[in-house]
């Protein structure tokens, strides 16, 4: 690594007042032709480019980003990472990602601040209890760590939760995945960008894709705000805008794009050292390293590309937060925002070829894509390089909506969607 | 967050309504003769337009009636509201 970050480079640069650090990635003009083009410079897109270069030796590739890298949903999520999904296919996919997360800082030589602080999912009624216990068993059969906690154990693990039996939705227990946790979202994009750039990948920002050129069933290139670029392989990782790109290629996807909201509070001293999610009342909360409470709310129930969302959704979430954590009643919220998430009918992602040769889609991550970033990039790179899926993403093909072989995590997983 | 002019009740807050998704998807007349591809198209594939889109809405916390709406999904501006069975306005 030509520019390795270490304690020695830190000391060395201290002598020059940290003014001589080299740029972590370049700002190239697009070439006329690439072996492959990735549309979307978020975490998933940059990870895809990184693994294409690293594992499949495709170096003549570019990532096109219409804004700045990591400025979309990568910078807008609540950074929760876990793999406690119910179905075998999902468990395989998300645990593949979790295993990569565990060594990602070392691999990228970039501190992504991965913190395995545990994720606890609460149960508020008898059906929640049954569903979550079932999920715990399913997880353990798939080799994923999961334990069931009763109400007292929940209180012991996270003392600020109100476990009184007379609240509207009392805490009847919960599940805990200890290997789960959080990571610094920006650092993930930046680390992958730096790693990909070093292997020769062109990261082209402020470059919007305007059209996809096809010759019959084969893609020939992309029309962009920086001119036409020829390529035989296009990987689309455009999250909420996947349908917009698909329409350019004359393709329809089973997606609906909706705003998902989150908010952060003013920073306070450490008060909650884990991530707590509650599906029934739709609220989840963790604390960032800066001390802000990071709160995830729900999606608006209509298609919208405005990165805002409705007030009633935030209100509902905060009501639930206040009942579960009365200690937060005087907290001030600093920022609120929305990200546009592309939701599949079965709430599982699509990492797939299409019926157009050379056109690949990685989309439909809905409300929970951040956790899968490294695994998604790895498997999508495999799919693009070999023109066929890896066994871990074979179930997440586009054809499942025709065959009916859905991966229905929506109701079954009792996770916040 | 916006106001919706229900064709039966008048202007109300959006939180009173629920969205039924893309409008004018015609239910197949001969379901038994549909291929798997046609079923997938009918059940799952959506235009998901960024821009002017035709949608079905229900005044769930009001008159509980369904109606159609033309809305720009890039800025949530509503261009037209019309009753079920009425002809959609031309763009």
């Amino acid at each position: 690594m030509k520019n390795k970050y270490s304690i020695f480079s830190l000391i060395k640069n201290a002598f020059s007042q940290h003014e001589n650090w080299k740029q972590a990635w370049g700002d190239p003009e697009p070439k006329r032709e690439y072996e492959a083009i990735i549309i979307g410079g978020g975490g998933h897109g940059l990870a895809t480019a990184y693994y294409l270069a690293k594992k499949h030796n495709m170096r003549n590739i570019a990532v096109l980003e219409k804004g700045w890298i990591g400025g979309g949903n990568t910078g807008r999520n609540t950074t929760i990472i876990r793999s406690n999904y119910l179905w075998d296919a999902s468990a395989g996919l998300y645990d593949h990602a979790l295993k990569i997360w565990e060594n990602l800082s070392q691999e990228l030589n970039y501190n992504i601040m991965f913190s395995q602080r545990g994720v606890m999912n609460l149960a508020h009624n008898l059906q929640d209890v049954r569903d979550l216990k079932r999920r715990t068993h399913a997880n353990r059969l798939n080799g994923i760590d999961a334990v069931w906690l009763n109400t007292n154990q929940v209180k012991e693990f996270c003392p600020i939760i109100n476990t009184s039996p007379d609240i509207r939705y009392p805490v009847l227990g919960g599940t805990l995945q200890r290997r789960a946790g959080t990571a610094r979202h920006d650092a993930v994009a930046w680390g992958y960008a730096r790693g990909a750039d070093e292997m020769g990948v062109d990261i082209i920002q402020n470059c919007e894709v305007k059209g996809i050129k096809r010759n019959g069933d084969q893609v020939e290139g992309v029309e962009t705000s920086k001119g036409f670029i020829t390529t035989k392989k296009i990987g689309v990782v455009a999250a909420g805008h996947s349908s917009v790109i698909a329409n350019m290629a004359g393709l329809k996807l089973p997606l609906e794009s909706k705003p998902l909201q989150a908010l952060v509070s003013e920073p306070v001293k450490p008060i909650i050292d884990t991530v707590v999610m509650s599906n029934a009342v739709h609220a989840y909360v963790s604390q960032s390293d800066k001390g802000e409470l990071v709160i995830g709310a729900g999606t608006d129930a209509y298609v919208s590309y405005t990165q805002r969302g409705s007030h009633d959704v935030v209100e509902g979430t905060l009501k639930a937060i206040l009942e579960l954590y009365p200690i937060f009643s005087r907290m001030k919220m600093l920022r609120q925002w929305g990200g546009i998430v592309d939701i599949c009918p079965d709430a599982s992602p699509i990492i797939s070829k299409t019926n157009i040769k050379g056109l690949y889609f990685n989309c439909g991550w809905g409300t929970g894509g951040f956790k899968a970033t490294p695994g998604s990039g790895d498997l999508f790179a495999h799919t693009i390089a070999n023109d066929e899926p890896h066994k871990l993403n074979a179930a997440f093909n586009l054809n499942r909506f025709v065959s009916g072989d859905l991966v229905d995590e929506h109701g079954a997983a009792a996770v916040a969607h | 967050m916006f106001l919706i002019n229900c064709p039966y009740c008048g202007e109300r807050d959006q939180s009173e309504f629920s969205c039924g998704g893309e409008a004018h998807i015609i239910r197949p007349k001969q379901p038994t003769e549909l291929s798997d591809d046609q079923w997938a198209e009918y059940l799952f594939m959506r235009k998901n337009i960024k821009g002017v889109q035709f949608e079905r809405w229900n005044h769930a916390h009001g008159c509980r009636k369904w109606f159609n709406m033309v809305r720009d999904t890039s800025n949530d501006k509503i261009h037209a509201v019309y009753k079920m069975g009425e002809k959609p306005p031309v763009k």
Side-chain angles (χ1 to χ4, degrees):
Chain A
M1 205 168 270
K2 60 184 175 207
N3 226 339
K4 194 173 187 320
Y5 295 154
S6 66
I7 181 75
F8 303 108
S9 70
L10 194 64
I11 293 167
K12 189 177 144 217
N13 279 280
F15 286 110
S16 55
Q17 272 74 40
H18 296 291
E19 283 174 359
N20 293 326
W21 287 101
K22 284 195 187 124
Q23 265 194 317
W25 56 87
D27 187 20
E29 281 302 307
K31 290 185 230 164
R32 302 284 291 278
E33 186 170 353
Y34 288 98
E35 199 180 341
I37 280 177
I38 305 300
I39 301 174
H44 289 242
L46 293 163
T48 304
Y50 174 85
Y51 292 113
L52 273 176
K54 189 179 175 196
K55 293 174 103 172
H56 307 283
N57 212 24
M58 287 169 72
R59 303 286 162 104
N60 184 26
I61 58 177
V63 177
L64 307 183
E65 167 55 49
K66 83 173 164 184
W68 63 94
I69 58 167
N73 290 354
T74 303
R76 289 168 179 269
N77 65 84
T78 50
T79 78
I80 297 166
I81 295 165
R82 59 184 179 85
S83 66
N84 54 352
Y85 280 70
L86 177 70
W87 300 114
D88 294 352
S90 318
L93 178 67
Y94 290 102
D95 211 49
H96 176 62
L98 183 49
K99 283 176 188 146
I100 303 176
W101 280 116
E102 287 177 329
N103 291 308
L104 195 57
S105 288
Q106 287 75 14
E107 188 188 331
L108 295 176
N109 179 231
Y110 203 97
N111 186 6
I112 56 153
M113 297 164 74
F114 182 50
S115 160
Q116 291 177 297
R117 58 184 68 185
V119 170
M120 186 161 67
N121 289 85
L122 299 179
H124 296 281
N125 54 51
L126 203 54
Q127 191 59 46
D128 273 0
V129 172
R130 290 182 187 126
D131 286 345
L132 288 179
K133 279 187 174 169
R134 178 189 178 209
R135 179 147 66 92
T136 310
H137 296 313
N139 289 158
R140 292 166 79 153
L141 286 170
N142 276 319
I144 292 167
D145 68 306
V147 284
W148 169 259
L149 306 179
N150 63 30
T151 308
N152 290 336
Q153 289 166 318
V154 166
K155 183 80 179 168
E156 207 172 299
F157 186 67
C158 184
I160 60 170
I161 294 182
N162 179 8
T163 53
S164 156
D166 58 5
I167 62 176
R168 176 66 182 85
Y169 297 103
V171 177
L172 301 183
T175 65
L176 174 63
Q177 185 183 18
R178 290 186 193 275
R179 284 161 65 228
T182 59
R184 172 102 170 93
H185 47 8
D186 297 323
V188 177
W190 298 336
Y192 273 123
R194 174 169 168 265
D197 178 88
E198 198 170 76
M199 290 184 284
V201 174
D202 280 356
I203 296 164
I204 302 158
Q205 303 183 71
N206 300 309
C207 179
E208 186 176 355
V209 171
K210 307 272 193 190
I212 288 178
K213 194 180 166 203
R214 281 168 61 176
N215 182 3
D217 275 352
Q218 167 70 47
V219 293
E220 294 212 309
V222 287
E223 195 61 61
T224 76
S225 54
K226 295 193 176 186
F228 184 76
I229 307 171
T230 306
T231 186
K232 290 266 180 262
K233 285 189 173 192
I234 300 171
V236 185
V237 205
H241 283 69
S242 298
S243 297
V244 176
I245 306 281
N247 289 342
M248 290 176 190
L251 200 72
K252 243 170 156 186
L253 294 174
L255 297 174
E256 287 194 307
S257 297
K258 297 173 178 179
L260 173 68
Q261 294 183 76
L263 53 165
V264 294
S265 72
E266 58 190 329
V268 291
K269 287 187 177 176
I271 182 71
I272 178 164
D273 63 356
T274 183
V275 182
V276 184
M277 309 179 69
S278 166
N279 188 42
V281 297
H282 217 300
Y284 41 105
V285 63
S286 63
Q287 191 172 18
S288 75
D289 293 339
K290 278 187 283 183
E292 302 155 325
L293 295 180
V294 183
I295 295 170
T299 50
D300 283 318
Y302 51 86
V303 171
S304 179
Y305 287 85
T306 61
Q307 288 173 319
R308 297 196 288 265
S310 299
H311 181 68
D312 54 304
V313 173
V314 171
E315 196 181 11
T317 292
L318 288 178
K319 275 182 194 163
I321 294 273
L322 289 191
E323 189 176 62
L324 279 175
Y325 312 92
I327 193 175
F328 294 153
S329 65
R330 302 294 175 89
M331 292 283 281
K332 293 185 179 70
M333 293 298 143
L334 280 192
R335 299 191 303 280
Q336 167 273 349
W337 65 91
I340 303 306
V341 297
D342 44 329
I343 300 176
C344 263
D346 60 354
S348 287
I350 297 165
I351 313 169
S352 178
K353 294 163 68 168
T354 63
N355 52 20
I356 301 166
K357 268 189 209 140
L359 186 64
Y360 306 87
F361 269 87
N362 182 352
C363 58
W365 289 96
T367 60
F370 176 75
K371 67 173 81 68
T373 305
S376 152
D378 182 32
L379 300 172
F380 195 41
H382 180 100
T383 307
I384 294 173
N386 299 303
D387 195 39
E388 60 182 48
H390 187 277
K391 68 176 189 321
L392 285 175
N393 68 307
F396 299 94
N397 60 57
L398 200 45
N399 196 51
R400 72 179 189 264
F401 298 97
V402 177
S403 70
D405 191 10
L406 304 177
V407 189
D408 186 15
E409 284 286 343
H410 221 315
V415 294
H417 276 295
Chain B
M1 192 175 170
F2 42 86
L3 294 172
I4 295 175
N5 194 6
C6 171
Y8 304 96
C9 311
E11 207 164 66
R12 299 291 174 84
D13 192 279
Q14 163 259 311
S15 61
E16 289 187 18
F17 297 82
S18 64
C19 181
E22 194 179 316
H24 307 300
I25 296 173
I26 297 161
R27 188 179 166 79
K29 290 215 170 72
Q30 300 286 346
T32 49
E33 283 164 26
L34 248 53
S35 68
D36 288 351
D37 280 313
Q38 287 167 316
W39 269 121
E41 178 74 19
Y42 168 70
L43 285 173
F44 299 125
M45 301 303 163
R46 295 294 177 261
K47 291 184 192 148
N48 196 22
I49 293 167
K50 183 181 186 177
V52 175
Q53 169 160 296
F54 293 74
E55 300 171 327
R56 296 174 304 170
W57 283 76
N58 178 246
H59 195 180
H61 299 286
C63 63
R64 299 192 54 79
K65 283 189 179 128
W66 284 91
F67 59 93
N68 289 316
M69 195 155 106
V70 188
R71 186 173 58 95
D72 190 332
T73 60
S74 66
N75 56 19
D76 285 343
K77 268 192 191 145
I78 298 167
H79 292 306
V81 174
Y82 54 102
K83 292 179 185 170
M84 284 287 160
E86 287 181 359
K87 266 202 168 168
V90 200
K91 263 189 224 180

